[in-house]
Amino acid sequence: MTEFEPKIVGFLCNWCAYAGADLAGVSRIQYPPNIRIVRVMCSGRVDPVFILEAFRSGADGVLVAGCHLPSDCHYISGNFKAHRRIMMLKKLLLQFGIEPERLRIEWVSASEGDKFATVIKDMTEEIKKLGPSPLKVQVEGLIYG
Amino acid sequence: MKDKVGAVLVVGGGIAGIQASLDLADSGFKVYLLDESPTIGGTMTQLDKTFPTNDCAMCILAPKLVTAGRHPNIELVMGGEIRSVEGEEGNFKVKLIRRPRRVNEEKCTGCGVCAQKCPVEAIDEFNQGLSERCAIYVKYPQAVPLVFAIDRDKCIGCGTCQEVCKAGAIEYDEEEKEIVLNVGSIVLAPGFEEFDPSLKSEYGYGRYPNVISSIEFERILSASGPYGGMVLRPSDGEVPRRVAFIQCVGSRDAKLGNNYCSFACCMYAIKESIIAKEHNPDLQCTIFFMDMRAFGKEFDAYYSRAEEEYGVRFVRSRVSRVEEVPESQNLIVRHVVEEEPKDEEFDLVVLSVGMRPPKGVEGLAKAFGIKLNKYNFCSTETFSPLETSRPGIYVCGTFAAPKDIPESVAQASGAAAKAASIIATERGKLTVIKELPSEIDVSGEEPRIGAFICHCGINIGGVVNVPEIVEYVKTLPNVVYAEENLYTCSQDTQKRIREKIKEHNLNRVVVASCTPRTHEPLFRETIREAGLNIYLFEMSNIRDQCSWVHMHEHEKATEKAKDLVRSIVAKARLLKPLKKPMINVVPVGLVIGGGLSGMTAALELAKQGFDVHLVEKEKELGGNLRHIHYVLGSEDPQERLSSIVKEVSENEKIHVYLGAEIANIEGYVGNFKTTLNHNGEKKEIDHGIVIVATGAIEYKPTEYLYKEDERVLTQRELEERLAKGEFNAKTVAMIQCVGSRNEERPNCSRICCVQAVKNALKIKELSSETDVYVFYKDVRTYGLNEDYYREAASRGILFIRYDDENKPRVSRENGPLKVLAMEPVLKTWLPIEPDLLVLSAATIPNPDNQRISEMLKVPLTKDGFFLEAHMKLRPIDFATEGVFLCGLAHSPKLIEESISQACGAAARAITILSKKALEVEGAIASVNEDLCSGCRICEALCEYGAIKMEGKDGKLVSTVLEALCKGCGVCGSSCPTGAISMLHFTDDEILAQVRAALREKKHD
Amino acid sequence: MTFEPRIVGFLCNWCSYAGADLAGVSRISYPTNIRIIRLMCSGRVEPVIVLETLAQGADGVLVMGCHIGDCHYISGNLYAERKINVLKKLLARTSLEVGRLRLEWVSASEGGRFAELVKDFVEQIKALGPSPLAGDKPDKNILAGVLAAKAAAEDFRLRLLVGREKTMIDDGNVYGEKVSEEELDKILNEVIDTEFVRNRIYLLVKEKPLSVKELSERLDLDSKTVLRHVVVMRRRGLITVDRVEGTSPLYTALEVGR
């Protein structure tokens, strides 16, 4: 059997985290190829619905990454809003039977290419340990089973 | 006289030069932005974080760099060196040479393969020599323009880069070019040079590897710096446990001839120690200083936080020597505490180096024909801080005197106003307006997507199987065309994309290549030239976020690239053309406050041809300046005041309302409507922008017998007496920080130290035998004002320090005033019986600020001053578009700083007023009124005041003010009924992207 | 027992190999210590192979080609000369004697000269004694040095410079400037130094994580210089910080990109 390769969806804000991911590239810092990045203008744009839909569609993990607290946010305070929302959503995930560790919020600045890569490495490792998302197993059962 | 020219030359591509260029280019002038180096960005690009908010410097700077780099009215002249400047204000001929870069700017795509193959290693100046770069290089990864350059001194001419460059950009034989520019005015912003700390040989810089400069430490702290953001010491790569910062290295140093204070070092040392402690909480940071000059907005609060929360140790002492312990390469810092020499051991010593005039300043001054002051900074006057000695040439940033980023930015905008006003008649004459075909109507059409997959030389193609991606993309629904390109961004591919759009009738375009952050504007422009709406474009990042980070996993990287492209195609399928709404602009300004700042701003607006309403609540113009009778230097403020008032009153474009009050402000950028109460009548004004210049007031002390004893005065009252010739005293005592830097108002009032020195010197001038005592906490005569502090000390004025535990005690037992002050050296209470006790009272915010901030929906600081959009890079703007800020309303500041900021506010305002209509971003929030429940959550969340609640058909609904919305999407993701959608980032689009990224099989 | 050196000879097909044959045809005897490997041209002599040969415990390596001007492939021997030059520079940085490597020109008609040279080289190696890398217990330190030299010889930058050395001296660089031998030699020395040290660092931290201080002791090099190399290697993704022990970050090798 092939090793479990988690699929992770990353919602990255345009100004800091996405730029940080770009810098990881420019600096050729290698990290596991498990993340699929979706660019949003602000981490505050990430609707809980997006995250739930990602899990429903088979994501094993979801990363939301934005500008550092307190004041790096390009839109002043979008990151605070994202933070509050994710913390609440983590609780909600438990009710769906999804381990809250599958959802992460991280702050990555435009000069932290290294940090971005580390976050992806860590997260990929952690989710590998958790195994495939319980929701994905259910959903795939429904669709293909 | 010769014809005027509507172009400006800006010399220096640091943050000041960039700001001046953007303001000028945005108000209708052609700008040549020249820098000696191959990239713009200046010193700020080397900083890790910025105080007092600890923002990442690159995060806040990069968007400005990109904007300047792509601005149609800004032409970057890199590697330029000025030879001569002929002509006069309005029409200069500037001769310059352009040093060869040896890489063609048009062809280089910045992919970086050349640098990976270059066999030569050279010292990396960007990292202060702490790491290496190649002989072909970019200064830093986010460089603008992102074009490599060959370092001819290091290049051995092996020819490798030319062979590996698939874009054919290398031109070894490029030669120096002579260029002549014809411009109407010139802005000088060449910046500064760091003081070379090896000149202070007693500190051992250059001899001891663990003695480093503050800018080196800045690079060490940076995540993209030499040590990857780990704090290590250069001798052996160990993590230091004890770090010492030594202040005033190359500043406040008479021996070196650098008497001035370098303005920013106290704060950056605090910042560096805070950041270092965040990296490594066990680190012990000690700052050796003379006076802690935390005089800026919110700086003292930052200073206390460093001490109390982070445990940074502050030692008030000048360090005499640093010696190395040979075995450990640790350092012994010798200093004096309470007259006793003390030695302390540290692992690392950071020297807080001061600012010097830029390299080659004499040549620069000669070429431009301008005067320098005794320190070789550009010579300016208090009331004309932006003008050089040659008409038509203006100055900003650290070339005028050492300063911090916000002061540089404000001054840059100010210089832009000055540079524009002499050529205001030429506005719009040299700027380019591109002729574009009308947009093709694609509504109702099935999506026809064209995909262009980039090899990026070998950057993508060397890892990801690009032909496989192309074949794969062709199988995706709605993709009607796909091809691969060596470089999708090259000029010839742009032509190709346009042809393919026509040939295949494409109505959506997807490019899979590098990052949209730098390249989306280019491709949007391309499809627009082919008649497609710019929002019908999407980009997939398969280089920076795929091939470059999975270089050794070719198969997995190819799979990932497929997922990324499939997911962006899924989004592209749903893209809709968006209109960029146009908003008409009423070309009229409103300035609130008729003090020096308000009048200056109004005059600048009027000089550039705009009508201004100037509203002052008092019965006369002048504000605080009415009470200022002297400045340091030779100018007479009262004479200046009357000439400014005369100029304002006589200017037909300025409409002054005295004794008037703002009753109401409505509207938004371009279209404000304000109601005034003036002479018992209501008056309505339509205007496009607002400048807030409400000033500040002097604190009326409750301490030290003020009001109880007529011998106790404030500095302002003393100044009045001195001016009226009513001064008569044998002994004068001054107490600093009355009402500032205390529990209630933790921050410094910035101007009182300078004011006290000024008045003390005046006393000595009028009555040389009078004894003057100044009781202070820190003497904060920052910048070039330090000279006057020195002069005061040499004239026998006694400066005696006190601290919060031992404040001076004032009493009047049997008639005479008695001041008891702790003498810090002798540790005894020193009794003085002054004839006059002068209190340096705080500058406190105008009590009207609260009301005005509510009307304008802009924030105030905890202290009650107005809070700008960003403390570093947007010191004059509010987050709300079209509202600007200057003078004491922002925070206490000196006359020259108020004038610079006021001119700057005018320049910022003119970027709006000079346009007939404002084009607004299309990717913004949009409300479905049927779904809106009127809950007002969105209104509360929006930082920009872009949501307004309106009654419609009997119910309250949310409305987006298009001009104000920035498109972050916070409202949309919080709307409980889903009534708000974010155009171009709609829920459907993002969800489609998510689903497609995860699953190949379509099930919905 | 007397020491009988094991010598590997790399001989070009057209001159030296023919010369060796002629020695045979002419029944000129010479010591039995040489094992000949035929190459088409001395220019084929690959520094990596020579270093591997030495690492395997050969007591000496003798490279032979056509006399200057005689090369069957016009200038292959000139390139061989450059490569041996670099090899000697690399060897000089290890503790293995440079004298274990020798380059000579032998024509097809010089059977006698061939035999003389072999004799001479065998004497030379006998005087040096057995290679510290021969036998069951090779000297670890020296082996590490030779392996680092080998890795350095694989380095792109170094190979590129060696490859262009001749053109740049003879025809000038891309700016049309003739580069002097001394100048190029200086550059080459710098690159060799750098690559050699970096490869030693890499091999050391591949065994176990080490700090800059430990590296500096092992390499007998000041720690400031070691740190500079570590900085570059970290940036290039060759090594990374494994952990921080006390005040010392320990570095470890990454497997990628080599």
Side-chain angles (χ1 to χ4, degrees):
Chain A
M1 203 184 123
T2 51
E3 198 194 349
F4 163 56
E5 284 293 350
K7 280 212 171 176
I8 300 169
V9 173
F11 294 100
L12 269 54
C13 90
N14 182 59
W15 306 97
C16 296
Y18 195 91
D22 280 349
L23 183 64
V26 175
S27 321
R28 312 294 197 279
I29 305 167
Q30 306 296 302
Y31 56 82
N34 301 66
I35 186 153
R36 304 293 177 263
I37 290 168
V38 176
R39 182 171 69 117
V40 288
M41 293 313 279
C42 178
S43 55
R45 170 70 184 105
V46 180
D47 197 312
V49 173
F50 302 169
I51 294 167
L52 294 174
E53 179 61 23
F55 281 118
R56 201 183 72 89
S57 303
D60 300 297
V62 174
L63 169 70
V64 177
C67 308
H68 276 272
L69 296 173
S71 59
D72 274 12
C73 178
H74 191 82
Y75 303 105
I76 305 171
S77 63
N79 49 357
F80 275 102
K81 287 153 196 161
H83 186 242
R84 275 206 303 273
R85 203 174 281 149
I86 300 300
M87 289 305 139
M88 267 153 51
L89 199 59
K90 273 173 170 279
K91 290 185 188 140
L92 196 67
L93 284 182
L94 259 180
Q95 299 181 5
F96 287 103
I98 301 173
E99 302 89 334
E101 297 77 40
R102 293 187 189 273
L103 172 60
R104 267 207 198 189
I105 183 152
E106 293 280 354
W107 313 123
V108 177
S109 82
S111 57
E112 292 179 329
D114 219 350
K115 178 170 181 193
F116 179 78
T118 311
V119 165
I120 303 304
K121 270 180 229 166
D122 276 11
M123 194 167 171
T124 309
E125 282 309 307
E126 190 175 1
I127 293 186
K128 273 191 182 170
K129 280 190 201 123
L130 287 174
S133 156
L135 202 65
K136 177 160 130 185
V137 176
Q138 282 172 28
V139 171
E140 287 190 343
L142 280 175
I143 295 169
Y144 305 114
Chain B
M1 194 179 140
K2 280 188 186 162
D3 289 341
K4 288 187 173 178
V5 182
V8 182
L9 169 67
V10 177
V11 178
I15 184 60
I18 290 173
Q19 184 63 47
S21 301
L22 287 172
D23 287 338
L24 285 161
D26 283 337
S27 29
F29 300 97
K30 164 93 189 174
V31 177
Y32 300 98
L33 174 55
L34 175 138
D35 200 289
E36 282 183 6
S37 103
T39 43
I40 57 171
T43 307
M44 195 179 162
T45 56
Q46 288 177 288
L47 305 182
D48 175 40
K49 302 272 165 70
T50 58
F51 57 83
T53 50
N54 288 355
D55 282 6
C56 152
M58 194 48 86
C59 298
I60 57 177
L61 178 62
K64 277 207 189 215
L65 294 176
V66 174
T67 314
R70 285 203 53 85
H71 202 293
N73 296 334
I74 299 179
E75 187 175 324
L76 300 182
V77 184
M78 298 290 94
E81 202 176 282
I82 301 289
R83 284 295 146 92
S84 68
V85 181
E86 283 163 24
E88 57 193 46
E89 75 177 305
N91 193 330
F92 290 106
K93 281 219 157 43
V94 184
K95 266 203 192 115
L96 54 102
I97 55 145
R98 205 174 164 161
R99 284 191 298 271
R101 176 193 280 272
R102 297 189 164 80
V103 179
N104 186 314
E105 291 189 19
E106 304 291 317
K107 291 184 185 163
C108 175
T109 64
C111 78
V113 168
C114 51
Q116 291 206 308
K117 301 292 181 196
C118 175
V120 182
E121 277 183 1
I123 294 288
D124 184 357
E125 305 88 346
F126 185 73
N127 276 325
Q128 294 287 311
L130 294 167
S131 65
E132 332 266 323
R133 62 157 167 81
C134 292
I136 186 162
Y137 70 107
V138 279
K139 224 166 117 190
Y140 52 99
Q142 303 86 343
V144 170
L146 190 55
V147 174
F148 279 73
I150 292 177
D151 177 349
R152 187 61 189 87
D153 292 339
K154 286 287 166 192
C155 176
I156 56 167
C158 68
T160 305
C161 46
Q162 192 170 44
E163 278 168 29
V164 298
C165 181
K166 293 234 170 15
I170 310 291
E171 292 172 354
Y172 294 118
D173 52 2
E174 191 193 339
E175 282 181 17
E176 203 169 271
K177 266 190 232 84
E178 199 181 87
I179 301 175
V180 180
L181 297 175
N182 193 200
V183 295
S185 48
I186 296 169
V187 174
L188 298 180
F192 70 96
E193 186 189 23
E194 297 136 36
F195 172 76
D196 171 8
S198 62
L199 295 175
K200 287 285 285 181
S201 59
E202 60 267 41
Y203 294 157
Y205 180 88
R207 268 179 299 147
Y208 310 142
N210 293 328
V211 177
I212 61 173
S213 80
S214 43
I215 189 91
E216 286 166 3
F217 196 57
E218 196 79 43
R219 290 313 301 150
I220 290 178
L221 290 172
S222 171
S224 54
Y227 305 153
M230 289 180 81
V231 179
L232 305 176
R233 57 183 212 159
S235 74
D236 53 12
E238 293 280 294
V239 178
R241 285 167 296 120
R242 302 159 299 179
V243 179
F245 291 81
I246 301 177
Q247 297 305 106
C248 297
V249 178
S251 312
R252 301 182 70 185
D253 192 329
K255 244 199 301 185
L256 291 165
N258 291 358
N259 279 348
Y260 57 85
C261 154
S262 287
F263 199 107
C265 330
C266 283
M267 287 305 291
Y268 75 56
I270 297 179
K271 172 196 73 180
E272 288 183 359
S273 40
I274 286 181
I275 304 293
K277 282 192 75 82
E278 281 180 357
H279 281 260
N280 177 7
D282 299 333
L283 193 71
Q284 296 164 22
C285 292
T286 307
I287 300 181
F288 293 94
F289 69 104
M290 296 199 286
D291 291 287
M292 188 43 65
R293 294 193 163 168
F295 51 82
K297 197 171 182 175
E298 313 266 297
F299 285 6
D300 263 315
Y302 191 72
Y303 171 27
S304 337
R305 227 168 54 231
E307 195 163 17
E308 285 150 25
E309 273 177 42
Y310 289 88
V312 175
R313 186 164 68 109
F314 290 86
V315 179
R316 191 180 295 268
S317 170
R318 181 124 203 174
V319 171
S320 56
R321 256 197 117 62
V322 176
E323 299 275 359
E324 188 180 68
V325 185
E327 306 78 54
S328 59
Q329 292 187 291
N330 286 349
L331 302 149
I332 304 292
V333 172
R334 168 154 298 182
H335 59 289
V336 176
V337 176
E338 289 167 358
E339 308 288 286
E340 289 291 317
K342 247 189 108 175
D343 284 349
E344 198 176 332
E345 192 169 329
F346 291 92
D347 304 316
L348 184 69
V349 169
V350 179
L351 304 179
S352 293
V353 293
M355 299 183 198
R356 301 253 315 116
K359 218 174 261 163
V361 65
E362 282 104 343
L364 188 90
K366 207 173 148 223
F368 284 100
I370 56 159
K371 280 200 194 110
L372 301 176
N373 66 23
K374 66 173 172 177
Y375 297 119
N376 271 355
F377 289 107
C378 183
S379 171
T380 58
E381 299 288 341
T382 306
F383 283 90
S384 47
L386 304 161
E387 280 96 341
T388 69
S389 58
R390 183 167 174 187
I393 303 183
Y394 305 94
V395 62
C396 60
T398 47
F399 180 41
K403 56 175 67 66
D404 185 22
I405 295 166
E407 282 81 6
S408 295
V409 172
Q411 213 184 14
S413 291
K418 290 285 176 191
S421 79
I422 56 169
I423 51 170
T425 50
E426 307 305 301
R427 190 190 309 281
K429 293 202 179 151
L430 291 178
T431 50
V432 282
I433 301 162
K434 224 174 177 174
E435 288 293 326
L436 290 170
S438 55
E439 273 184 24
I440 303 164
D441 181 12
V442 302
S443 57
E445 282 179 20
E446 180 79 350
R448 294 178 60 79
I449 302 173
F452 297 83
I453 320 291
C454 183
H455 278 267
C456 193
I458 57 167
N459 284 293
I460 296 170
V463 176
V464 167
N465 187 335
V466 173
E468 194 181 316
I469 304 282
V470 172
E471 288 315 307
Y472 174 72
V473 174
K474 284 181 182 164
T475 67
L476 296 174
N478 299 102
V479 174
V480 295
Y481 180 75
E483 69 168 36
E484 57 195 280
N485 312 110
L486 185 57
Y487 291 103
T488 309
C489 62
S490 69
Q491 283 309 316
D492 52 318
T493 313
Q494 304 317 298
K495 198 167 150 248
R496 234 184 119 72
I497 294 175
R498 288 193 295 267
E499 285 165 8
K500 293 295 163 194
I501 290 173
K502 294 224 160 57
E503 195 181 319
H504 296 274
N505 227 349
L506 304 176
N507 58 20
R508 307 280 189 284
V509 172
V510 165
V511 168
S513 60
C514 51
T515 174
R517 289 173 45 256
T518 54
H519 280 67
E520 191 179 57
L522 169 76
F523 295 120
R524 281 182 163 186
E525 207 174 297
T526 300
I527 72 158
R528 182 63 193 82
E529 284 160 8
L532 288 180
N533 180 279
I534 59 165
Y535 294 101
L536 296 173
F537 174 78
E538 262 302 335
M539 204 165 166
S540 176
N541 189 341
I542 59 168
R543 186 188 72 179
D544 303 46
Q545 297 178 359
C546 188
S547 69
W548 272 352
V549 289
H550 315 304
M551 289 166 80
H552 314 293
E553 300 172 277
H554 294 201
E555 271 178 36
K556 283 183 182 172
T558 303
E559 282 314 304
K560 175 172 171 178
K562 280 185 191 170
D563 286 357
L564 292 176
V565 177
R566 182 176 66 239
S567 126
I568 217 72
V569 165
K571 179 176 178 185
R573 212 174 285 137
L574 301 172
L575 290 175
K576 291 205 167 54
L578 299 178
K579 285 213 172 57
K580 288 193 161 194
M582 299 297 281
I583 294 171
N584 287 329
V585 175
V586 181
V588 174
L590 168 71
V591 178
I592 308 175
L596 174 63
S597 299
M599 289 192 293
T600 305
L603 273 172
E604 287 306 317
L605 291 173
K607 278 189 211 159
Q608 293 205 41
F610 300 99
D611 279 292
V612 196
H613 300 280
L614 178 60
V615 180
E616 169 57 51
K617 73 174 173 188
E618 307 261 343
K619 291 282 177 213
E620 61 173 326
L621 291 170
N624 286 309
L625 188 56
R626 290 176 297 161
H627 307 289
I628 299 175
H629 301 275
Y630 314 101
V631 291
L632 292 169
S634 56
E635 286 168 294
D636 176 354
Q638 288 306 310
E639 191 187 293
R640 295 294 307 159
L641 173 62
S642 33
S643 92
I644 295 170
V645 170
K646 186 161 175 272
E647 219 183 319
V648 168
S649 318
E650 286 174 0
N651 193 312
E652 287 177 357
K653 296 221 160 254
I654 304 178
H655 315 283
V656 181
Y657 305 87
L658 295 175
E661 199 190 49
I662 309 259
N664 188 34
I665 304 177
E666 276 187 0
Y668 47 85
V669 60
N671 301 277
F672 288 102
K673 199 180 274 298
T674 293
T675 314
L676 297 183
N677 287 331
H678 184 226
N679 299 335
E681 283 171 34
K682 287 221 182 297
K683 175 157 176 72
E684 279 206 344
I685 299 171
D686 288 313
H687 52 104
I689 59 95
V690 184
I691 293 177
V692 178
T694 50
I697 57 176
E698 191 186 51
Y699 166 67
K700 293 290 163 220
T702 53
E703 44 274 82
Y704 300 123
L705 301 179
Y706 183 75
K707 277 185 185 157
E708 291 168 43
D709 191 307
E710 61 185 13
R711 290 165 296 183
V712 182
L713 312 172
T714 64
Q715 288 287 359
R716 175 182 282 187
E717 288 158 356
L718 169 68
E719 193 166 335
E720 300 270 354
R721 275 198 200 186
L722 288 165
K724 285 185 188 152
E726 291 167 2
F727 174 80
N728 182 15
K730 288 272 162 280
T731 305
V732 178
M734 295 182 178
I735 301 178
Q736 299 302 104
C737 297
V738 177
S740 313
R741 300 182 68 186
N742 57 18
E743 291 268 307
E744 192 191 346
R745 276 177 293 274
N747 288 305
C748 167
S749 286
R750 187 170 177 137
I751 53 180
C752 348
C753 282
V754 174
Q755 204 180 12
V757 165
K758 175 183 86 174
N759 286 341
L761 281 171
K762 198 73 199 174
I763 289 172
K764 282 285 181 186
E765 187 190 315
L766 295 173
S767 146
S768 61
E769 0 21 295
T770 301
D771 290 326
V772 184
Y773 298 87
V774 182
F775 299 102
Y776 71 96
K777 289 170 81 170
D778 292 278
V779 178
R780 292 178 167 178
T781 46
Y782 58 92
L784 304 185
N785 289 316
E786 180 71 7
D787 273 346
Y788 296 98
Y789 172 33
R790 189 170 291 273
E791 189 187 331
S794 74
R795 291 257 195 121
I797 294 161
L798 279 175
F799 289 85
I800 300 166
R801 220 184 73 75
Y802 73 88
D803 55 33
D804 284 336
E805 285 74 50
N806 293 306
K807 285 186 176 169
R809 296 172 194 169
V810 177
S811 59
R812 48 165 182 179
E813 278 147 45
N814 304 315
L817 273 176
K818 200 170 165 192
V819 178
L820 267 180
M822 172 63 85
E823 215 297 324
V825 178
L826 305 171
K827 295 242 180 245
T828 52
W829 289 92
L830 187 77
I832 296 159
E833 293 191 358
D835 305 315
L836 280 181
L837 173 62
V838 186
L839 307 181
S840 287
T843 301
I844 58 172
N846 187 332
D848 294 343
N849 287 0
Q850 186 64 40
R851 209 170 57 84
I852 291 172
S853 76
E854 282 162 16
M855 277 193 278
L856 286 167
K857 298 188 188 66
V858 295
L860 297 179
T861 64
K862 265 186 270 172
D863 300 352
F865 291 100
F866 282 96
L867 179 60
E868 61 273 33
H870 190 275
M871 282 216 175
K872 276 295 182 205
L873 291 189
R874 298 183 67 192
I876 312 180
D877 303 7
F878 281 107
T880 309
E881 289 275 292
V883 189
F884 304 95
L885 169 66
C886 61
L888 301 180
H890 164 275
S891 68
K893 54 177 64 66
L894 296 172
I895 288 174
E896 55 269 36
E897 293 170 325
S898 284
I899 293 176
S900 294
Q901 214 186 10
C903 293
R908 298 291 303 137
I910 291 169
T911 62
I912 294 167
L913 295 180
S914 62
K915 297 185 177 87
K916 282 204 177 67
L918 288 178
E919 194 183 57
V920 173
E921 173 57 47
I924 54 172
S926 150
V927 180
N928 180 336
E929 289 175 1
D930 294 338
L931 293 178
C932 178
S933 64
C935 72
R936 310 190 87 138
I937 286 180
C938 51
E939 188 191 19
L941 285 173
C942 182
E943 291 279 359
Y944 300 97
I947 302 257
K948 202 177 154 196
M949 303 307 293
E950 276 182 357
K952 264 190 191 166
D953 305 329
K955 77 167 187 172
L956 198 61
V957 292
S958 144
T959 314
V960 177
L961 301 174
E962 291 168 331
L964 300 184
C965 178
K966 302 276 177 204
C968 66
V970 166
C971 56
S973 51
S974 310
C975 177
T977 60
I980 299 186
S981 58
M982 294 308 306
L983 302 179
H984 204 58
F985 284 91
T986 65
D987 288 8
D988 286 350
E989 286 165 354
I990 295 178
L991 288 173
Q993 203 181 342
V994 170
R995 286 190 201 109
L998 288 167
R999 186 171 295 125
E1000 196 165 347
K1001 290 190 181 105
K1002 279 203 310 149
H1003 65 279
D1004 53 346
Chain C
M1 207 179 88
T2 52
F3 162 52
E4 283 301 335
R6 291 191 304 160
I7 291 165
V8 177
F10 294 103
L11 273 58
C12 90
N13 181 59
W14 306 97
C15 298
S16 312
Y17 196 87
D21 280 353
L22 183 63
V25 173
S26 320
R27 309 297 193 276
I28 307 171
S29 65
Y30 54 87
T32 57
N33 307 64
I34 191 161
R35 307 286 176 272
I36 290 171
I37 293 173
R38 182 172 67 109
L39 304 172
M40 292 313 283
C41 177
S42 59
R44 172 69 183 92
V45 170
E46 166 57 67
V48 176
I49 294 175
V50 173
L51 288 164
E52 177 63 23
T53 310
L54 290 168
Q56 292 288 335
D59 298 303
V61 171
L62 182 58
V63 178
M64 290 178 161
C66 310
H67 283 276
I68 301 297
D70 287 357
C71 179
H72 188 80
Y73 304 102
I74 307 164
S75 55
N77 50 0
L78 294 177
Y79 289 109
E81 203 174 13
R82 306 252 156 237
K83 283 177 184 159
I84 298 298
N85 179 30
V86 171
L87 269 168
K88 287 193 170 161
K89 286 181 196 290
L90 277 169
L91 277 181
R93 283 155 179 87
T94 71
S95 309
L96 196 69
E97 302 88 342
V98 179
R100 294 191 187 275
L101 173 66
R102 192 157 151 188
L103 172 70
E104 290 292 350
W105 310 133
V106 174
S107 82
S109 59
E110 292 178 330
R113 176 176 159 82
F114 172 80
E116 277 310 308
L117 284 172
V118 174
K119 248 183 258 171
D120 194 59
F121 191 58
V122 170
E123 286 313 308
Q124 182 179 328
I125 298 297
K126 277 192 173 165
L128 286 174
S131 163
L133 304 181
D136 301 337
K137 283 184 187 148
D139 183 305
K140 266 194 182 162
N141 217 355
I142 297 176
L143 182 62
V146 173
L147 289 177
K150 186 185 146 202
E154 284 171 352
D155 176 71
F156 174 85
R157 299 195 317 142
L158 183 54
R159 297 178 76 89
L160 195 123
L161 275 177
V162 177
R164 292 194 199 251
E165 206 182 9
K166 189 176 164 300
T167 336
M168 285 172 66
I169 292 169
D170 295 350
D171 311 335
N173 66 11
V174 296
Y175 304 106
E177 304 162 342
K178 293 251 163 141
V179 183
S180 72
E181 289 251 24
E182 298 77 55
E183 232 176 295
L184 210 61
D185 213 49
K186 200 174 138 249
I187 297 168
L188 203 58
N189 270 325
E190 277 170 26
V191 175
I192 288 174
D193 265 335
T194 311
E195 286 311 318
F196 179 70
V197 173
R198 288 187 192 158
N199 280 293
R200 288 220 60 186
I201 293 175
Y202 184 83
L203 293 171
L204 284 170
V205 299
K206 205 173 162 183
E207 274 174 40
K208 71 167 201 197
L210 293 170
S211 71
V212 167
K213 268 188 173 169
E214 289 165 324
L215 282 166
S216 122
E217 277 161 29
R218 302 253 184 131
L219 298 169
D220 193 23
L221 202 65
D222 72 280
S223 47
K224 198 180 159 194
T225 312
V226 172
L227 178 64
R228 292 193 73 89
H229 291 304
V230 163
V231 165
V232 176
M233 294 173 72
R234 227 182 125 190
R235 294 204 137 198
R236 294 198 179 150
L238 299 170
I239 59 173
T240 188
V241 178
D242 184 70
R243 61 184 189 276
V244 179
E245 230 171 57
T247 59
S248 308
L250 304 185
Y251 297 89
T252 185
L254 287 169
E255 280 300 331
V256 295
R258 290 186 61 86

